[in-house]
Amino acid sequence: MSGGMKQLDLRRFPGFFAITLACVAVLYAPLMVVAVYSVNESTSITRWGGFSLAWYADVFTGPESPKFQRAAMNSIIIAVLAGTGATIIATSAAVAMHRAGRFRAKTATFALINLPLMVPEVVTAVASLIFFTAIGFSGGIGTILLAHLTFCIPFAYLPIAARMQSISDSYEQAAMDLYATPREAFRLILLPLMRPGIFSGFLLAFIISLDDFLITNFVKGAGVETLPTAIFGAVKQGIKPNIMAISTLMLGVSVAFVTLSWLIGRSGQKTQ
Amino acid sequence: MIGTVISIDRVEKRFGTFTALHGVSVDIADNEFFTLLGPSGCGKTTLLRCIAGFEPVSGGQIRLNGEDIAPLPPYRRPVNTVFQHYALFPHMTVLENAMFGLQRLGWGVVDAEGRARQALELVHLSAFLKRRPGQLSGGQQQRVALARALAPEPRVLLLDEPLSALDLKLRQAVRMELKQIQRETGIAFVFVTHDQEEALTMSDRIAVMSDGRVQQVGTPREIYESPANRFVADFIGETNLIEVPVLNISNGLAEVSLPGGRAIQCPTRLVDATQGVLSVRPERIDLCAPSEADLIATAGAQVYLGTDIQLKAHLAGGEQMTVRLQNAAATVLPQSGARLGLRLEAGAARLLAA
Ligand SMILES: Nc1ncnc2c1ncn2[C@@H]1O[C@H](COP(=O)(O)OP(=O)(O)OP(=O)(O)O)[C@@H](O)[C@H]1O
Ligand SMILES: [Mg+2]
């Protein structure tokens, strides 16, 4: 019996390890190239000329640095505001969905909240552009912020709802049994218990906003740049190694945030 | 009733088309350890939730000290609950858990902490004040839940199967302790269980429930010795139920004809019946010579229970009887298949409605 099980184990298929290795290589090789050439001494992006952090210095002090710094600032402001807004909306939605018990359209509502995750991003981008044009918004930080807020909600919602699912409603009942008003039960019991999910959701929404290019590029209008659109603009005039340095920095920030989000989500699970 | 703290008056509870409580009426006295006992699904938790305020009643009234509490939300009812799975707040320490109710009532931190410490001392948890619930054993968590619910000194404490998550040894130890705490605090306890032994050993009075109805209310002794009906007799302890014709009934005493023809007298609540069910506890039946017996039977299987030995016996009509014999040195056990005489001890049998 156990022998039979072993043969069904995918990892035992001949060549499986090689395929895995190939997939990982295809996924990460380009990132590796970018990371490696970001510390290249040479101005060429294809020839290795020795180790140097010059291009990182160039990002912060070089001729293009004011442009990138302004773009980075825009990105961070938008990510913080959109992430915060999306987290607040997602938290309210999760509480409402949880509290509503079983209502007729619950599954449909859940699908509706999460559908944007499945819609091709370019469709959302076009739709956002048409919508903002129709209501007379003409680009700028405010428009980008609104667009980000919208598409960040489902990303914030997922970890929060997952957390919510694991919180039994008997905690709130116990609180109300002990003379807490519904408001106090929410503030003193439910909210602290949801906190890991809320953090996790915020970090995810933040990083999704920070990294977004497509939708931003459609709705931003002229003259305003976020870091990804600024990088794209710079690349159009030829790839210089400082682009690799910026990209590597962004990659680092993304990995750090996603890892943090995951760790917080997991640690929250353990205290339950 | 004098000193009634909570009066449950013809309470109905419907969930959609399903009726979980059919006109339940019970009065619970101050200082009383009152138990709701019944099989799974009979409505015990539902009744507790109605008292606590988590479910609105569909009919009838629940009065606390004579006042209808229907308009009060759970957080305005001077009633606390020990939940089945405790529902301790995982992000608070033991002490903070115990202080929670007092602080919501507007107590200052110092006073609340003093009272919470007292409550935790009562349940012997003074050494664990700074721990989180996740760092406690099941038995300790149960005590925290008890202390947390007792600290605000509610008029009534509701306990929904608080011992069911504990292992057998611990459960037996906690029973006596719980009873003692009830005595010390003088708070009325409404205790839910489906464990009849738990109910019999702890309670001042028991309400036996089935299918959303109260079948009988009484002291453990009354419930066990004078069951009101067939359900109660069968649910509480073990019993033998024998269908018998009734010869006559007068003044609570019935004369019935046993299988085999012998007539005996037994107590009953019935006033008029031609047919009934005789309930006889297995430990109230003795073996004797067939010539002196009330019933003649054939010995069947034996089960060794340590202090007792359980013996199955078959009557000529096919009815199966259970007899419990003490495992004493002098006890002589019959061979399987042997002819037995069974004698019902005085007052052992009780006539119930068929
Ligand atoms: N919210 C609800 N909606 C519909 N039916 C319910 C609801 N709550 C309870 N019931 C039904 O009411 C009946 C009584 O339930 P209750 O939980 O009071 O039983 P119980 O006596 O506490 O049983 P147990 O010993 O298993 O805990 C059950 O048949 C149950 O299915
Ligand atoms: Mg129950």
Side-chain angles (χ1 to χ4, degrees):
Chain A
M1 185 65 207
S2 73
M5 291 292 279
K6 259 192 194 133
Q7 270 168 10
L8 281 176
D9 189 340
L10 208 58
R11 282 167 300 187
R12 299 236 153 200
F13 276 18
F16 182 79
F17 186 69
I19 295 172
T20 310
L21 222 57
C23 289
V24 171
V26 167
L27 275 173
Y28 289 99
L31 294 176
M32 285 309 292
V33 168
V34 168
V36 167
Y37 276 90
S38 73
V39 290
N40 190 0
E41 168 83 65
S42 154
T43 46
S44 161
I45 58 162
T46 49
R47 215 163 0 93
W48 181 252
F51 178 84
S52 155
L53 290 175
W55 295 114
Y56 284 89
D58 182 74
V59 167
F60 291 100
T61 58
E64 287 179 301
S65 69
K67 190 177 81 185
F68 283 133
Q69 273 170 21
R70 216 173 319 119
M73 215 50 218
N74 285 343
S75 272
I76 289 171
I77 291 170
I78 291 168
V80 167
L81 294 179
T84 307
T87 304
I88 292 171
I89 294 171
T91 303
S92 318
V95 171
M97 288 283 283
H98 181 72
R99 203 58 53 68
R102 233 176 278 138
F103 65 98
R104 285 178 78 132
K106 187 160 182 173
T107 316
T109 311
F110 185 79
L112 215 57
I113 294 176
N114 290 301
L115 196 63
L117 298 175
M118 260 73 83
V119 174
E121 201 185 344
V122 68
V123 175
T124 312
V126 171
S128 301
L129 177 62
I130 294 172
F131 176 73
F132 285 129
T133 312
I135 63 171
F137 278 40
S138 58
I141 291 221
T143 309
I144 302 175
L145 181 58
L146 269 179
H148 280 217
L149 181 62
T150 317
F151 73 72
C152 281
I153 291 172
F155 289 97
Y157 182 76
L158 282 182
I160 297 174
R163 174 73 191 167
M164 197 81 193
Q165 212 113 63
S166 72
I167 303 174
S168 148
D169 58 3
S170 65
Y171 293 121
E172 283 164 276
Q173 285 185 4
M176 286 202 251
D177 187 65
L178 291 161
Y179 316 108
T181 60
R183 204 175 268 270
E184 287 172 321
F186 175 74
R187 186 167 54 85
L188 298 169
I189 305 300
L190 190 59
L191 207 54
L193 293 178
M194 287 175 73
R195 198 164 288 152
I198 293 175
F199 267 129
S200 186
F202 170 77
L203 292 178
L204 213 54
F206 176 87
I207 209 67
I208 292 291
S209 162
L210 196 72
D211 291 352
D212 180 73
F213 167 72
L214 200 52
I215 295 174
T216 313
N217 200 40
F218 270 70
V219 302
K220 74 182 176 60
V224 189
E225 302 289 350
T226 63
L227 200 49
T229 63
I231 292 174
F232 183 69
V235 165
K236 277 199 292 198
Q237 286 140 35
I239 303 177
K240 281 205 309 173
N242 63 347
I243 298 297
M244 307 227 192
I246 294 187
S247 303
T248 307
L249 287 173
M250 278 190 78
L251 179 65
V253 170
S254 293
V255 170
F257 270 70
V258 171
T259 309
L260 197 60
S261 163
W262 178 75
L263 283 177
I264 289 174
R266 204 185 52 162
S267 78
Q269 225 113 76
K270 262 193 231 149
T271 62
Q272 270 293 286
Chain B
M1 185 187 298
I2 302 163
T4 296
V5 59
I6 210 157
S7 182
I8 295 158
D9 189 6
R10 287 162 293 173
V11 163
E12 301 262 339
K13 178 65 197 177
R14 284 182 288 277
F15 295 107
T17 55
F18 175 78
T19 305
L21 297 174
H22 298 266
V24 169
S25 293
V26 171
D27 284 343
I28 296 161
D30 239 338
N31 296 331
E32 189 171 33
F33 198 118
F34 191 90
T35 297
L36 298 173
L37 173 65
S40 188
C42 71
K44 308 180 294 288
T45 298
T46 303
L47 185 55
L48 276 202
R49 289 174 60 82
C50 288
I51 299 173
F54 297 120
E55 300 282 359
V57 297
S58 319
Q61 225 180 36
I62 299 175
R63 288 186 297 272
L64 191 71
N65 294 326
E67 267 180 68
D68 184 9
I69 54 173
L72 299 181
Y75 49 92
R76 294 267 158 68
R77 298 188 182 191
V79 169
N80 290 148
T81 307
V82 176
F83 290 83
Q84 186 166 5
H85 298 288
Y86 315 141
L88 298 175
F89 306 132
H91 56 299
M92 296 183 185
T93 62
V94 165
L95 184 62
E96 286 166 347
N97 264 279
M99 288 167 66
F100 187 86
L102 297 166
Q103 289 182 297
R104 301 287 80 67
L105 286 172
W107 287 46
V109 175
V110 177
D111 292 344
E113 184 174 332
R115 169 70 72 76
R117 280 175 186 274
Q118 277 174 19
L120 288 163
E121 197 167 317
L122 190 69
V123 297
H124 312 298
L125 275 181
S126 296
F128 300 96
L129 302 181
K130 294 285 172 240
R131 293 236 198 140
R132 297 279 164 106
Q135 302 165 316
L136 298 176
S137 74
Q140 289 162 345
Q141 291 181 20
Q142 193 267 334
R143 288 152 191 267
V144 179
L146 187 62
R148 181 178 73 172
L150 282 173
E153 297 194 342
R155 298 305 313 268
V156 180
L157 188 73
L158 309 174
L159 304 100
D160 194 355
E161 307 202 26
L163 309 185
S164 63
L166 307 181
D167 67 48
L168 184 66
K169 261 267 155 50
L170 192 54
R171 198 152 68 213
Q172 287 171 342
V174 173
R175 270 182 205 163
M176 287 304 115
E177 213 176 294
L178 205 55
K179 172 94 184 173
Q180 196 191 336
I181 287 171
Q182 191 270 328
R183 283 272 164 278
E184 278 174 34
T185 57
I187 294 171
F189 277 29
V190 182
F191 181 89
V192 162
T193 182
H194 56 239
D195 180 335
Q196 40 127 342
E197 193 185 318
E198 217 164 85
L200 291 175
T201 53
M202 297 170 78
S203 317
D204 293 323
R205 284 190 312 148
I206 299 171
V208 183
M209 293 178 65
S210 86
D211 293 330
R213 289 188 176 83
V214 172
Q215 300 294 334
Q216 186 174 4
V217 181
T219 63
R221 189 173 210 109
E222 283 165 0
I223 299 270
Y224 188 81
E225 311 223 335
S226 328
N229 57 40
R230 195 175 172 146
F231 174 84
V232 176
D234 204 22
F235 188 72
I236 309 290
E238 260 184 299
T239 198
N240 293 292
L241 295 171
I242 315 164
E243 308 250 353
V244 289
V246 179
L247 305 176
N248 87 76
I249 298 179
S250 67
N251 293 332
L253 215 56
E255 194 175 0
V256 302
S257 169
L258 291 173
R262 194 167 167 133
I264 61 158
Q265 286 203 321
C266 61
T268 186
R269 288 192 190 188
L270 301 178
V271 285
D272 180 33
T274 55
Q275 197 70 23
V277 175
L278 212 56
S279 165
V280 189
R281 299 287 182 194
E283 70 275 15
R284 307 286 296 273
I285 302 175
D286 299 324
L287 299 187
C288 64
S291 56
E292 308 160 18
D294 294 318
L295 293 161
I296 305 291
T298 313
Q302 295 170 9
V303 181
Y304 180 77
L305 299 172
T307 55
D308 288 338
I309 290 168
Q310 191 189 65
L311 175 69
K312 296 284 182 200
H314 307 280
L315 303 186
E319 299 99 327
Q320 183 171 278
M321 302 275 292
T322 303
V323 181
R324 236 175 213 256
L325 304 170
Q326 262 190 7
N327 188 11
T331 307
V332 183
L333 290 168
Q335 296 283 323
S336 178
R339 214 166 97 92
L340 289 180
L342 305 180
R343 186 171 50 212
L344 313 185
E345 288 175 12
R350 210 179 149 74
L351 182 71
L352 306 171

